[in-house]
């Protein structure tokens, strides 16, 4: 190729790349020029604090999931209710433990570069960083998300899967976000850490079909154990249960071991066994290594982190994560 045509070729290439970048695209190190210390500040704060409260890592990754499933990953999960009820008020909301944490990070980042770093990116970055601190998987977090201005309780109820959802409903809710069955299986694997209130599943123990019965898809020995030592009656709304008993702070494969032993806590966990595709994915994960799980989990959560993101001039950079700018 002649020099001339070569340079023409590169010009065309560059124009194509520029055109692509004006579309909704996140990029690694989006704040490298506008706020070079941002990611470091977030990581440092997370490292200093999660070590003492590893359970917060669970709250943060769950917050990231809830944020992305309602109006895309736009920080709407952080907004306070105003005249309408916000996503924050959707039950169950153990996630509440993470709100204050994000606010503290936001104020450090605002002190460094006011009005530059979005709350949506702070959620995505701190979720990843906190899982890394607990020894779990790492994944790429391209940035440049902008914050939304709307948070709506009923949209949250419509879009976020519920613990009582069956396979079909889960598949639909994930597909609505552009996520497939593999993503469903892998992202459900986040239940390897964290806790649940009894109320999220006590119908399975006490009144599954309204006849005072147990959910037959739950291991009966495990159900008895939960009723005896944890959720002592159907109205217990304060006791918390580890979703992955014995290793609630360790991001390992044992969630899937519980699921195949019919000890998944929620119907949504058990539902992974009711479809041949997801069942075989669970089996494959258990046959593979921890490194394999981490690598596959990373792919799915990177996908989740891109759901309907706002970029460029969409949305805003909130000053306070709980409030839209006035
Ligand atoms: C597949 C559909 C899912 C359903 C039905 C579901 C449901 C739930 C429920 C009901 C709880 C307990 C909340 C409470 O009792 O207050 C919970 C906790 C949790 N979920 Fe999920 N979840 C799903 C997927 C996910 C995904 C995709 C992630 C993250 C990638 C995730 C991460 C977590 C974590 C870490 C906790 C523990 C939170 C804590 O300890 O504070 N879940 N989930
Ligand atoms: C948001 O609501 C919480 C709890 O209701 C409250 O503590 C907090 O001060 C509110 N944040 C702002 C910025 O108004
Ligand atoms: C949590 O949800 C309950 C309803 O289940 C609601 O009354 C409460 O205000 C919510 N808490 C926060 C901090 O939003
Ligand atoms: C919230 O979302 C629901 C369902 O999409 C919609 O009907 C309702 O008007 C919305 N509420 C507000 C205040 O925007
Ligand atoms: C799953 O749940 C939905 C909504 O509750 C229901 O309409 C559907 O019939 C259920 N599907 C199966 C296979 O049970
Ligand atoms: C079980 O569910 C049925 C139907 O919803 C209800 O009538 C009954 O009171 C419930 N029993 C308990 C112990 O909550
Ligand atoms: C928990 O249950 C008690 C007694 O049944 C009730 O008074 C209280 O409002 C419930 N709390 C929540 C957060 O639902």
């Amino acid at each position: 190729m002649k020099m001339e045509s070569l340079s023409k070729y590169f010009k065309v290439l560059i124009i194509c790349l520029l055109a692509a970048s004006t579309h909704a695209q996140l990029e690694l190190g989006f704040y490298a020029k506008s706020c070079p210390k941002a990611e470091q500040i977030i990581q440092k704060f997370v490292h200093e604090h999660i070590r003492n409260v590893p359970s917060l890592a669970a709250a943060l990754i769950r917050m990231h999931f809830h944020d992305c499933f309602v109006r895309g990953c736009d920080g709407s999960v952080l907004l306070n209710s105003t005249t309408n009820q916000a996503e924050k008020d959707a039950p169950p909301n153990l996630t509440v433990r993470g709100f204050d944490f994000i606010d503290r990070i936001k104020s450090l980042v605002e002190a460094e570069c006011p009005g530059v770093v979005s709350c949506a990116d702070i959620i995505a970055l701190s979720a990843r960083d906190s899982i890394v601190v607990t020894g779990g998987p790492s994944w790429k977090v391209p940035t440049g998300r902008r914050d939304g201005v709307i948070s709506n309780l009923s949209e949250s109820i419509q879009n976020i899967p519920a613990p009582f959802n069956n396979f079909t409903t889960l598949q639909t809710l994930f597909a609505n976000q552009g996520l497939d069955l593999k993503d469903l299986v892998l992202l459900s694997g986040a239940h390897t850490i964290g806790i649940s209130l009894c109320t999220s599943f006590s119908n399975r123990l006490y009144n599954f079909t309204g006849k005072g019965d147990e959910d037959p898809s739950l291991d009966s020995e495990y159900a008895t154990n939960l009723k005896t030592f944890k959720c002592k009656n159907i109205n217990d709304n304060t006791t918390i249960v580890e979703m992955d008993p014995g290793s609630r702070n360790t991001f390992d494969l044992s969630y899937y071991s519980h699921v195949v032993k019919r000890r998944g806590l929620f119907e949504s966990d058990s539902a992974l066994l009711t479809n041949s595709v997801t069942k075989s994915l669970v089996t494959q994960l258990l046959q593979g290594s921890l490194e394999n799980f981490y690598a596959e989990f990373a792919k799915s959560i990177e996908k989740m982190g891109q759901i309907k993101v706002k970029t460029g001039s969409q949305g805003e950079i909130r000053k306070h994560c709980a409030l839209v700018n006035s």
Side-chain angles (χ1 to χ4, degrees):
M1 220 188 285
K2 273 205 246 144
M3 214 46 199
E4 213 177 315
S5 57
L6 197 66
S7 95
K8 196 169 166 193
Y9 168 81
F10 277 113
K11 264 182 205 156
V12 171
L13 186 73
I14 285 164
I15 288 166
C16 289
L17 288 175
L18 282 175
S21 71
T22 59
H23 281 281
Q25 292 274 358
L26 303 177
E27 56 181 285
L28 287 169
F30 177 82
Y31 300 110
K33 291 221 173 69
S34 56
C35 190
K37 290 209 184 116
E39 295 203 20
Q40 211 180 307
I41 291 171
I42 296 168
Q43 193 192 43
K44 182 160 178 279
F45 187 86
V46 168
H47 274 246
E48 283 168 4
H49 292 82
I50 296 287
R51 243 191 308 238
N52 305 323
V53 218
S55 69
L56 254 185
L60 291 170
I61 194 172
R62 183 167 186 243
M63 181 190 284
H64 183 34
F65 158 51
H66 282 200
D67 187 33
C68 293
F69 266 58
V70 189
R71 296 188 162 266
C73 317
D74 71 343
S76 54
V77 70
L78 299 170
L79 289 171
N80 273 3
S81 292
T82 48
T83 45
N84 71 316
Q85 277 194 297
E87 293 162 34
K88 253 186 189 176
D89 290 324
N93 54 16
L94 273 181
T95 309
V96 72
R97 295 182 295 145
F99 294 143
D100 183 47
F101 192 78
I102 298 287
D103 285 345
R104 287 160 70 195
I105 296 178
K106 174 68 170 171
S107 44
L108 292 176
V109 174
E110 283 296 296
E112 176 74 16
C113 340
V116 173
V117 180
S118 69
C119 299
D121 278 341
I122 294 177
I123 298 178
L125 289 163
S126 60
R128 190 268 317 272
D129 292 347
S130 67
I131 295 296
V132 170
V133 174
T134 65
S138 186
W139 59 90
K140 292 194 196 76
V141 181
T143 43
R145 293 170 191 76
R146 296 186 42 102
D147 296 323
V149 296
I150 296 171
S151 181
N152 177 330
L153 174 71
S154 44
E155 287 178 356
S156 158
I157 291 166
Q158 277 166 25
N159 290 293
I160 293 178
F164 52 80
N165 285 160
N166 61 26
F167 173 79
T168 320
T169 306
L170 293 171
Q171 182 176 28
T172 307
L173 291 174
F174 272 65
N176 289 347
Q177 308 291 346
L179 299 175
D180 60 22
L181 292 181
K182 193 168 180 193
D183 301 316
L184 169 62
V185 171
L186 284 154
L187 293 170
S188 294
H191 288 172
T192 180
I193 52 168
I195 52 177
S196 168
L197 286 166
C198 288
T199 32
S200 295
F201 59 90
S202 50
N203 69 314
R204 300 186 84 193
L205 306 176
Y206 291 103
N207 206 1
F208 188 59
T209 64
K211 293 178 191 146
D213 52 345
E214 234 170 69
D215 181 348
S217 69
L218 184 63
D219 172 56
S220 64
E221 201 180 308
Y222 187 45
T224 303
N225 190 297
L226 286 166
K227 290 197 277 197
T228 312
F229 300 108
K230 298 282 183 181
C231 313
K232 295 186 181 163
N233 64 69
I234 196 168
N235 298 315
D236 179 344
N237 61 10
T238 51
T239 305
I240 57 168
V241 175
E242 303 166 285
M243 293 193 293
D244 181 4
S247 71
R248 69 180 253 196
N249 287 327
T250 316
F251 212 106
D252 54 18
L253 283 160
S254 58
Y255 162 77
Y256 298 108
S257 313
H258 288 294
V259 167
V260 294
K261 288 185 196 141
R262 304 168 70 246
R263 294 180 170 205
L265 204 52
F266 308 136
E267 286 167 77
S268 61
D269 299 318
S270 302
L272 300 179
L273 295 181
T274 67
N275 170 271
S276 60
V277 174
T278 51
K279 187 178 179 181
S280 110
L281 286 167
V282 169
T283 316
Q284 281 172 41
L285 281 165
L286 281 169
Q287 284 164 354
S289 62
L290 188 63
E291 288 68 33
N292 172 64
F293 171 41
Y294 282 9
E296 296 294 327
F297 183 84
K299 283 190 228 162
S300 287
I301 198 158
E302 283 168 25
K303 215 165 144 187
M304 186 186 91
Q306 310 258 1
I307 296 173
K308 297 173 202 151
V309 289
K310 298 175 172 65
T311 57
S313 57
Q314 298 167 316
E316 62 180 22
I317 303 297
R318 262 178 238 149
K319 289 190 176 62
H320 295 283
C321 290
L323 304 174
V324 300
N325 296 341
S326 47

